[in-house]
Amino acid sequence: MKHFKNYIPQIAAALQGALLIMICYIHSVPAGEYVDFNPTNGTFQNFNPVRRLLSGQVPCRDFFDYLGLGHLFSGSFVTKLFGGDFQASLVAFTFLTILSFALLSVALAKSITNSFAISLGFTNALLISMLVAPDVYTLALSSVPDMSHSLLYPLSTGNSARFVRGMVLPLLCLVFILIFAVVPKITDRFSAAEKYREMIYLICASFAAGVAFIWSNDYGISCWVCTMVMVVVVAFSRKRNIKTPFIWFALYTVFSVLTVFITISLITKGHFSDWFSQTFGNGGYQAWYYNSNKSYYLWDVDFAPVMLVQAFVVLVYLWKIFAARGSADALKRFAVPAFANMTGFCAANEYKLMSGGNLRHIALCVLFLTVVYEIASFIISRPKLKFIGYAAVACSVLLSSAWLYINTGDVLAVHNQPKKGIYFEELGGNLEYLAPALISGEEFLDGEKFFSTYASGQETVCGFFHPSGTDYIIHVLGDEQREKYLDSFQNGDFRYAVTLYGKNYKWEHWSQRSNWYLYRHLFADWHPVFSNTYNIYWERNTDDVSAVVTDNISVSTEDIGNGRIKVIVNADKGVNGVADVYLDYKVSKTDSNASRFMIRRMLRVENTGHIFAQGEDLEGNNLRDESREHTPVTIVDGYGEALLTSMPDDGNTYIELYEASCEKIYTVSFDYVKVSEYSADNGSLTLRVSSSQQNSCILDDVTGVYLNGKEYSISDMYEADGYICIPVNAAKDSADSLADYLEFTNMVKVIKG
């Protein structure tokens, strides 16, 4: 009995650990109830690289995971564990997201309370409270809305799998806890190793940080940097001189960089240079590519009050380590919370300065957990209040068991209900909204190869991989990556090109502008053939098809001051299309004092003529600060204009425009309309086109249409029920055959008068 009592803490920890895994899993199962997806959201951004790895492809040789190798391997392992298909990936990434938060909680609680059983119990209680009563957190933290939002963020995967990318932080914290526990035992057991204890600590930390570096280019790199800071702080705390921290810093750098090189070389089978160019090419392009808020000055760090509180917490912990001269006990107690808060602060500000976006979610979760567990530790460390910790653990077991019992029954009940939609074996589940589109797309493709700008469900159902190795065009970041992607498009062995249907996916309009390096070739050499609610399918032009205007094009510019230049394109009246405008430019800094602290400049290009996008922000895109680029300008009735703005647009930058010219206008986007519906009643054929500003522009002055290789005149068009109706003058026998033709050729070319 006495022997059994010695193992009670381990048994309690094992029980709580099992409950934690079960809570995360049961919470995740509903995510895979259906396999619905949005082509532009994070579901296929998660599954595409996983599908490639599980099929035997090699990362950085055959494909690239934009979200990092940690995202790739953790996602692949759990997806395979849960079934290996798209449905399994929906469950897997939801599971990994909430597990990441749970492990973060466990690591911080263990360091602060020094008990795995208590840390697991507290974590389970926290998870149950978040799942059962999320509104409590929203109300309790109403004065800090970012905090409540961050705490509830890990309940779903979210875009770009932020908590999976950040999972390296809790994993590294747990590794440090393991190192603090194991290294002393090893050195105590082998007396010869005692004098090398500090070096063993350093090597272990360097190796762990090197592996962490490759996890992702935000939290992975931040973990590496902050481990280096901790190494230097500990060295200075112990030796109180400059020489030792410098030596430790040098050794840490050498050991960790070697770890990065060896690990990447093994994972990619020798393609380290490809990983390096892809990873840091990404970072360079992220500074200007996306339509998001940007940081232009050194002072654009995140100075929000809650982030300043986190910075203060880091300093307090570092002072405690310094005051204790970096002792082993001080490191066990303070190193992990110091490191976790420092990394959260560092990652949030790295992302803010590099991309201009908000990456506070994990940072604020770390801060919240730190404060909560410090308060809990203070309470349960009082001799008379120690029972509260054990009572909380016991209550946690009861609450977790009850939640699991109820929710497992609910999950099973829902799972056994008849499913809506259509079952797709390749996806592993039932699909509702896009099911008809996937089926019609597969029937249209009929086994032919294709190149799509957003690889997702179509590729999975057809058993096909994107030929370039990069599944989303918005992840083709870096000059070398763009060259490879464009070469794959121009010289690839495929019949069709596939783009998103812009009416249903508004970001397609922005994607055309931001990725004009590819779309200018698509518009020049391809034409649309078929479209559904998901995609538009394009076919290469034949010799007798041309959608390019080259005559009577002129470009003029007007400097309107404050770092703005208007570019005006003129062509013959009646010409509609997209002008391929060439710009040779540079965005320069003024001699102002503020410009000395400027870290980024770029050129903003906005279509200010005819607006067809679903939102004016989608009519603009960014270009780097100095380049020779082609950019699109929409032309309607022979006229178009764009506004160039040097960024930041605060008077500290200006544009040096060396050349603005245009040799071609591509008319294909104004030569075709999508026939949404058609009828062939009583021998007459009527085409119905969705009523929109662009379709009205396309159909202005139209006298006929091309159908099945022939020209047909049309009668007067009219509008009804949200459609522009086009009566086609076709004979009775032709009307019926044309209706069959339109089933898979519903992108119809119009004839202008």
Side-chain angles (χ1 to χ4, degrees):
M1 191 65 171
K2 190 178 293 185
H3 184 70
F4 174 76
K5 286 183 178 180
N6 294 334
Y7 290 96
I8 288 179
Q10 290 87 337
I11 294 172
L15 175 60
Q16 292 281 14
L19 289 171
L20 186 151
I21 296 297
M22 291 170 66
I23 290 169
C24 293
Y25 176 70
I26 294 300
H27 164 71
S28 306
V29 169
E33 192 63 32
Y34 286 91
V35 293
D36 290 309
F37 65 92
N38 181 327
T40 62
N41 77 359
T43 49
F44 268 96
Q45 185 172 276
N46 292 329
F47 182 61
N48 282 331
V50 166
R51 187 166 78 98
R52 288 179 178 274
L53 186 68
L54 294 181
S55 71
Q57 293 188 18
V58 176
C60 299
R61 185 192 73 182
D62 303 319
F63 70 99
F64 176 65
D65 187 349
Y66 169 77
L67 298 180
L69 292 173
H71 169 270
L72 172 64
F73 282 95
S74 63
S76 297
F77 173 76
V78 181
T79 296
K80 182 66 175 178
L81 193 67
F82 290 170
D85 52 27
F86 177 62
Q87 184 272 345
S89 78
L90 296 176
V91 179
F93 279 95
T94 306
F95 173 81
L96 284 169
T97 299
I98 192 169
L99 179 65
S100 175
F101 175 83
L103 293 179
L104 189 62
S105 173
V106 170
L108 287 167
K110 171 61 175 70
S111 294
I112 294 171
T113 67
N114 196 32
S115 168
F116 263 124
I118 290 177
S119 63
L120 286 163
F122 281 8
T123 297
N124 287 341
L126 182 62
L127 290 178
I128 296 300
S129 66
M130 290 167 60
L131 292 168
V132 172
D135 291 344
V136 171
Y137 290 90
T138 303
L139 293 172
L141 298 170
S142 58
S143 60
V144 194
D146 278 358
M147 182 78 80
S148 60
H149 174 70
S150 298
L151 282 171
L152 301 179
Y153 195 88
L155 298 184
S156 61
T157 306
N159 286 343
S160 300
R162 290 187 171 186
F163 267 81
V164 180
R165 282 155 49 199
M167 195 175 192
V168 63
L169 176 57
L171 290 176
L172 193 55
C173 288
L174 290 170
V175 168
F176 288 153
I177 290 171
L178 181 65
I179 291 172
F180 294 149
V182 172
V183 170
K185 293 182 179 179
I186 293 175
T187 54
D188 289 345
R189 184 171 182 180
F190 302 98
S191 56
E194 175 62 32
K195 62 180 179 178
Y196 299 111
R197 177 179 290 193
E198 288 185 342
M199 184 58 62
I200 294 173
Y201 273 126
L202 180 60
I203 292 172
C204 290
S206 302
F207 173 77
V211 173
F213 186 99
I214 69 175
W215 187 280
S216 68
N217 63 1
D218 41 38
Y219 268 93
I221 294 176
S222 294
C223 280
W224 182 83
V225 170
C226 292
T227 303
M228 178 180 65
V229 172
M230 293 299 298
V231 165
V232 171
V233 167
V234 171
F236 185 71
S237 299
R238 289 185 172 183
K239 306 301 180 180
R240 305 292 170 114
N241 60 50
I242 301 299
K243 179 181 177 181
T244 302
F246 180 81
I247 293 172
W248 283 28
F249 164 78
L251 291 173
Y252 169 83
T253 303
V254 171
F255 292 150
S256 61
V257 169
L258 280 175
T259 300
V260 171
F261 177 77
I262 294 170
T263 306
I264 290 294
S265 298
L266 290 173
I267 288 174
T268 65
K269 296 189 175 179
H271 289 78
F272 178 86
S273 60
D274 292 316
W275 169 82
F276 187 88
S277 65
Q278 289 168 347
T279 299
F280 292 97
N282 265 353
Y285 266 53
Q286 281 179 326
W288 56 265
Y289 175 75
Y290 295 107
N291 262 21
S292 58
N293 294 327
K294 302 298 178 185
S295 298
Y296 298 102
Y297 297 95
L298 281 173
W299 55 69
D300 285 335
V301 294
D302 197 341
F303 280 133
V306 70
M307 298 304 295
L308 293 179
V309 170
Q310 184 161 52
F312 176 75
V313 168
V314 172
L315 293 176
V316 169
Y317 280 125
L318 292 181
W319 171 254
K320 287 181 175 291
I321 292 172
F322 178 78
R325 305 189 71 89
S327 67
D329 289 339
L331 291 180
K332 287 180 182 179
R333 175 60 177 83
F334 304 120
V336 166
F339 170 74
N341 280 278
M342 187 193 305
T343 302
F345 183 85
C346 176
N349 279 284
E350 175 205 347
Y351 193 79
K352 181 77 162 54
L353 288 175
M354 291 297 297
S355 303
N358 182 346
L359 195 68
R360 291 179 185 172
H361 302 86
I362 294 177
L364 295 187
C365 285
V366 171
L367 180 59
F368 174 83
L369 293 170
T370 301
V371 172
V372 168
Y373 290 136
E374 286 290 358
I375 294 172
S377 176
F378 176 79
I379 293 172
I380 64 177
S381 63
R382 308 299 96 180
K384 293 183 178 181
L385 300 177
K386 195 171 184 178
F387 73 93
I388 292 177
Y390 300 115
V393 171
C395 289
S396 170
V397 172
L398 294 175
L399 287 172
S400 301
S401 300
W403 185 89
L404 285 169
Y405 176 79
I406 294 169
N407 283 271
T408 301
D410 291 344
V411 166
L412 290 174
V414 172
H415 179 74
N416 293 327
Q417 289 178 355
K419 296 291 188 297
K420 301 176 183 177
I422 299 172
Y423 179 77
F424 285 82
E425 183 179 356
E426 300 87 352
L427 299 175
N430 282 53
L431 183 67
E432 290 189 274
Y433 172 63
L434 284 177
L438 270 185
I439 292 172
S440 65
E442 187 177 18
E443 290 175 348
F444 169 80
L445 292 166
D446 195 26
E448 295 285 353
K449 295 179 180 179
F450 58 98
F451 183 109
S452 62
T453 54
Y454 277 87
S456 54
Q458 195 76 76
E459 282 78 3
T460 305
V461 169
C462 294
F464 180 70
F465 289 105
H466 195 285
S468 74
T470 304
D471 295 297
Y472 280 13
I473 192 171
I474 60 169
H475 294 164
V476 184
L477 304 179
D479 293 342
E480 185 179 345
Q481 285 70 39
R482 282 192 168 185
E483 288 177 10
K484 290 179 179 178
Y485 191 80
L486 184 58
D487 179 70
S488 177
F489 175 70
Q490 292 182 297
N491 302 310
D493 178 24
F494 51 88
R495 180 173 177 181
Y496 297 107
V498 182
T499 61
L500 292 180
Y501 179 44
K503 181 184 176 183
N504 289 348
Y505 302 102
K506 66 179 184 179
W507 284 99
E508 172 62 17
H509 194 93
W510 170 83
S511 182
Q512 289 181 15
R513 297 187 57 82
S514 297
N515 302 296
W516 186 242
Y517 73 93
L518 180 129
Y519 277 88
R520 61 193 295 263
H521 295 283
L522 177 74
F523 283 13
D525 303 324
W526 298 69
H527 63 277
V529 181
F530 175 68
S531 176
N532 49 38
T533 58
Y534 175 13
N535 287 319
I536 297 177
Y537 301 82
W538 303 64
E539 203 168 41
R540 285 184 174 89
N541 294 339
T542 55
D543 293 337
D544 60 339
V545 176
S546 177
V548 182
V549 173
T550 58
D551 298 330
N552 302 323
I553 305 171
S554 65
V555 177
S556 60
T557 61
E558 177 185 349
D559 191 339
I560 58 178
N562 296 320
R564 291 173 170 83
I565 297 176
K566 181 182 288 188
V567 177
I568 301 168
V569 183
N570 285 288
D572 289 336
K573 197 167 181 61
V575 171
N576 297 331
V578 182
D580 186 26
V581 176
Y582 172 79
L583 299 175
D584 183 359
Y585 68 91
K586 179 181 179 181
V587 176
S588 298
K589 297 188 290 186
T590 66
D591 293 329
S592 65
N593 291 328
S595 65
R596 302 175 190 276
F597 301 94
M598 194 179 295
I599 58 173
R600 178 171 300 107
R601 306 183 302 278
M602 66 184 189
L603 184 70
R604 177 73 177 167
V605 185
E606 297 171 285
N607 175 38
T608 53
H610 299 272
I611 308 297
F612 295 122
Q614 300 175 49
E616 291 190 13
D617 59 317
L618 302 177
E619 288 281 5
N621 63 284
N622 304 322
L623 299 176
R624 68 192 86 188
D625 61 341
E626 180 180 6
S627 189
R628 297 177 178 89
E629 302 263 2
H630 287 86
T631 192
V633 176
T634 303
I635 306 297
V636 174
D637 200 21
Y639 178 84
E641 64 179 46
L643 180 65
L644 310 182
T645 305
S646 63
M647 302 297 292
D649 58 344
D650 56 3
N652 293 318
T653 59
Y654 62 94
I655 304 171
E656 297 180 65
L657 185 60
Y658 308 119
E659 182 181 350
S661 59
C662 180
E663 296 180 353
K664 297 177 181 179
I665 296 175
Y666 305 123
T667 63
V668 65
S669 57
F670 287 84
D671 289 342
Y672 291 81
V673 291
K674 177 184 177 179
V675 175
S676 301
E677 296 180 5
Y678 55 87
S679 60
D681 300 327
N682 300 319
S684 64
L685 178 66
T686 300
L687 311 180
R688 295 182 180 84
V689 176
S690 176
S691 180
S692 68
Q693 185 181 358
Q694 182 163 358
N695 282 342
S696 296
C697 182
I698 293 171
L699 295 172
D700 184 39
D701 201 27
V702 165
T703 59
V705 293
Y706 283 102
L707 293 172
N708 203 14
K710 296 181 180 180
E711 295 184 17
Y712 291 89
S713 62
I714 62 173
S715 300
D716 292 340
M717 292 179 284
Y718 59 94
E719 291 199 33
D721 301 323
Y723 291 101
I724 302 172
C725 301
I726 309 172
V728 178
N729 299 323
K732 181 178 180 181
D733 56 341
S734 298
D736 293 333
S737 63
L738 290 176
D740 294 335
Y741 165 80
L742 285 166
E743 183 178 359
F744 288 115
T745 317
N746 62 357
M747 296 297 296
V748 173
K749 187 174 183 179
V750 300
I751 303 171
K752 294 284 186 175

